[in-house]
Amino acid sequence: MSKTKLIINSNGSIKIEGDFVIMDCDGKVYGLEGRTALGLCRCGLSSNKPFCDGSHRSNFDHESKAFDLPPMKTK
């Protein structure tokens, strides 16, 4: 099985590709109807949250550039 990929699109959604399940906060699974790729809303404007419906166009500005997080703190 290949890894699941999350791609942070500039000025847009988070694209998820691969073998995945999406659940709500109660553990209920969204019916994805066999999709192996889709976009998750990042701007908060979608009328179909948590999924992207393209509402971010001209209303959301975030250039995505990868960076390294600081080391995890030990307890």
Side-chain angles (χ1 to χ4, degrees), residues 18-48:
D19 184 23
F20 56 87
V21 173
I22 300 177
M23 294 183 283
D24 68 13
C25 62
D26 296 321
K28 186 176 177 190
V29 176
Y30 286 89
L32 303 178
E33 304 303 320
R35 288 173 176 80
T36 58
L38 54 76
L40 297 174
C41 179
R42 220 166 45 105
C43 70
L45 299 172
S46 176
S47 61
N48 196 31

Side-chain angles (χ1 to χ4, degrees), residues 5-6 8 11 16 18 20 22 26 28 35-36 38 40 42 47 50 53-56 61-64 72-75:
K5 290 195 306 187
L6 295 171
I8 312 301
N11 306 320
I16 183 170
F20 56 87
I22 300 177
D26 296 321
K28 186 176 177 190
R35 288 173 176 80
T36 58
L38 54 76
L40 297 174
R42 220 166 45 105
S47 61
D53 68 0
S55 293
H56 62 270
D61 186 29
H62 179 262
E63 188 69 27
S64 90
M72 291 178 56
K73 295 180 181 178
T74 56
K75 293 184 179 183

